[in-house]
Amino acid sequence: DVFKWTMDIDYHGTVNATKLLLPHFLARGSGHIINFSSLAGVLGVYGYSAYSSAKFAVRGFSDVIRAELKPKGIKVSIVYPPDTDTPQLAFESQYKPFVTRELAKSDKPIPPSLVARETLNAVEHGRYAVVPGFDAKLTYFLGTRLGNWIYPIMDFMIAGIFKKKDHLINEPRPQPGAAGIRSLIDQWQQDPDFRDNVAYWQVTSAREPVSAPIPAWLDPRLRLALESQGISQLYSHQAEALERARNGQNLVIATGT
């Protein structure tokens, strides 16, 4: 379950690390706990239902322990970074829904060094909330100051993206057809890399698509990405291709109408 998996990592991981270190801080009467949430823990971001929920939980936990531990001489800070240029961001960008990708286009990912620098600076000055980057600070300000007025703004932005998506879907585009696919395969066969590395390939005639369930072993992040696009089933040839890939075969699948 993606929600449990995400909560275990982002929320319970934070709680468990805090529980491990807190007795040592209490024993000496000092210490500083720094928890990482996200801007998605300030505003619920479309397409991030599991992630935002976990990051909101980190925010609530940090708010509570800040109040509880301050009388004991222990400081708490929470960091709300925006999209940060890390391998994790590059990986998850493959699976983001169209709307989420479009929302993220307006903000360029910030370097991890900026997050680290602003976090350390905040610790030195005893600040609780840390928001790295100018754009993130603006988003945080609006999200925490506008109250319910922020939701019509977000709805307006999302509605505009859906209009753009509908336009892209309905825009006429050339279809290669079976002849175009056959030409592509002929080109591949002339490529030495193709001949040397592809152990099995075939061209099959058109057939009626048959539905197949999404494999239970599929990575939960990919399953979530499919479900976020309204995809609850695959075609049988897609399920077959996934099974071949799972068994170590490199695949190129070309379909034509």
Side-chain angles (χ1 to χ4, degrees):
D1 181 88
V2 173
F3 286 86
K4 183 179 184 304
W5 178 72
T6 307
M7 190 66 76
D8 282 345
I9 294 173
D10 289 335
Y11 174 66
H12 290 123
T14 299
V15 173
N16 290 338
T18 302
K19 289 168 66 177
L20 180 67
L21 295 173
L22 188 55
H24 303 284
F25 289 174
L26 290 172
R28 71 187 189 191
S30 66
H32 199 138
I33 297 170
I34 306 171
N35 292 332
F36 276 77
S37 180
S38 165
L39 273 187
V42 178
L43 291 173
V45 178
Y46 183 104
Y48 275 159
S49 53
Y51 181 75
S52 276
S53 301
K55 290 303 187 180
F56 267 94
V58 172
R59 178 184 182 183
F61 173 70
S62 301
D63 280 355
V64 172
I65 64 171
R66 184 206 67 81
E68 292 178 345
L69 297 178
K70 186 174 183 179
K72 303 178 186 301
I74 300 170
K75 299 177 181 179
V76 175
S77 294
I78 183 168
V79 187
Y80 297 106
D83 280 349
T84 306
D85 190 11
T86 64
Q88 171 62 31
L89 179 66
F91 176 83
E92 71 180 44
S93 294
Q94 305 171 81
Y95 307 114
K96 285 181 180 178
F98 178 81
V99 174
T100 312
R101 291 199 307 272
E102 290 295 310
L103 286 171
K105 278 185 176 180
S106 59
D107 295 322
K108 182 180 178 182
I110 65 174
S113 58
L114 177 60
V115 177
R117 187 165 59 250
E118 294 207 17
T119 299
L120 292 175
N121 182 62
V123 169
E124 290 177 2
H125 292 83
R127 291 201 302 272
Y128 172 63
V130 185
V131 188
F134 174 80
D135 290 343
K137 287 180 174 63
L138 178 60
T139 301
Y140 178 83
F141 178 84
L142 295 175
T144 55
R145 300 300 193 278
L146 290 182
N148 288 338
W149 287 103
I150 194 66
Y151 301 118
I153 297 173
M154 296 175 67
D155 292 343
F156 176 79
M157 294 170 63
I158 292 171
I161 293 172
F162 270 107
K163 287 182 180 179
K164 178 179 179 179
K165 181 179 180 181
D166 291 340
H167 173 75
L168 292 173
I169 291 174
N170 296 321
E171 184 181 20
R173 57 188 59 138
Q175 299 294 329
I181 297 299
R182 164 58 78 176
S183 174
L184 183 60
I185 292 175
D186 288 342
Q187 292 178 41
W188 286 342
Q189 288 182 279
Q190 304 304 316
D191 186 337
D193 287 336
F194 180 87
R195 291 198 307 270
D196 294 342
N197 293 294
V198 176
Y200 168 87
W201 68 281
Q202 66 177 359
V203 180
T204 60
S205 58
R207 61 188 181 190
E208 286 295 319
V210 178
S211 296
I214 297 176
W217 50 261
L218 198 63
D219 187 297
R221 291 163 293 190
L222 182 53
R223 179 184 290 273
L224 178 63
L226 292 171
E227 291 174 352
S228 70
Q229 298 294 322
I231 300 172
S232 58
Q233 286 188 315
L234 302 175
Y235 289 128
S236 58
H237 67 277
Q238 294 171 329
E240 177 187 351
L242 284 173
E243 191 63 39
R244 287 180 181 275
R246 187 188 187 197
N247 292 328
Q249 293 187 24
N250 294 323
L251 296 173
V252 176
I253 304 171
T255 61
T257 58

